[in-house]
Amino acid sequence: MILFGEVLLQGCQPGGGAQRVSLEQTSYPPPPQTPQVLALGNLRADGLPSKTETQLAEFFFGAAPEPGLGLVKPVSVAAVGARLLICDSAMNAVLQWDLASRTLSEYSSTDRPERPIVVRNAPNGDSLVIDVARNTLLRFSPDGSLVRRYAPPNESFRPAGVACIGKEIWITDAVGHCVAAFDADSGKFVRSIGGRGPGPAEFGAPLGMAATPDRLVCVVDTFNDRVQVLDATGKWVRDVGRPGNQVGCLGRPKDVAVGPDGVIFVTDASSQRVHAFDPTGRALLAFGEPESGVGSLSMPAGICISEVCPLPDVMLPDGFKAAYYIAV
């Protein structure tokens, strides 16, 4: 399941008239506080055929129709305009959701990843896919052609997250507890950042990464229950989040995304929420809950920011304007 949320501009208030979204059930924080995030719905794509569709297919063709392509275990998501690229670990495939055609299909590439677990976008429009079966990062052009492979510096390297940082590609090593930097153009390994430990620029199973508008790098430090912010040289700047069970406290952070306004969003599998922080690391709010219905999350993993809403036919309450959209 992919949950879509909308970040609302500060100071917006709901207006009158008909509303298609119930603020009491889907806004964060809850009333009477001013809503900042609005849960919009879920993308599951095609499910099982209806009873009528099955009966017609059996009558005309003598066989039940094949179920449509749907999501089974999505673990990573990236937004490309009105499209989403989704890594589904159960299907061992990268899927593509196209808003214009409202279709979910397998991402077409010249070198199909065997076990994709992470997908990200490069600034030039290329797609970056971590393939753990081959223990490497694959880079595809917008037409799906393989551009480059980024091979790990050693056999024990286990890629778990990727980000474009200037002229480098950074890849987290979940087993080596470090970040490897590669030259983006040549694919050559440049240097290693950090090592195992709880201190500054030290890691415990680093996973997702994201660049900030001010050219810093957020690295999810899973076993240390935090996100570390580094500069482009790998120097520690600050920690975001801490252990605990309150807003802004993390148990098992998985991925991170940064909005164009610098707000940092972290998925946390322990609290089953997304925690939001301002650019300085101050906790703002958390959204999602381990229940059912719109806005619920179960073991949230991948997260991305989109400038357009990838869900079709979404009507917002009067008086609200989206700053951007979040897919989890």
Side-chain angles (χ1 to χ4, degrees), residues 185-248:
D185 294 330
S186 68
K188 181 181 179 181
F189 172 71
V190 177
R191 70 188 188 280
S192 182
I193 301 168
R196 186 167 191 170
E202 295 179 337
F203 304 99
L207 298 181
M209 287 189 293
T212 72
D214 53 356
R215 300 181 180 180
L216 298 176
V217 189
C218 295
V219 184
V220 172
D221 190 3
T222 304
F223 290 166
N224 288 319
D225 302 326
R226 63 184 178 181
V227 171
Q228 293 197 60
V229 181
L230 311 178
D231 67 15
T233 69
K235 182 180 178 181
W236 179 86
V237 177
R238 68 177 67 92
D239 285 348
V240 173
R242 58 186 175 83
N245 57 6
Q246 298 178 336
V247 172

Side-chain angles (χ1 to χ4, degrees), residues 74-76 254-256 267 298-303 328:
V75 293
S76 183
K254 294 291 186 180
D255 202 3
V256 59
T267 56
S298 178
M299 301 294 288
I303 185 171
V328 183

Side-chain angles (χ1 to χ4, degrees), residues 17-28:
Q19 298 185 359
R20 291 279 296 276
V21 180
S22 171
L23 294 179
E24 289 76 12
Q25 296 178 356
T26 60
S27 63
Y28 304 92

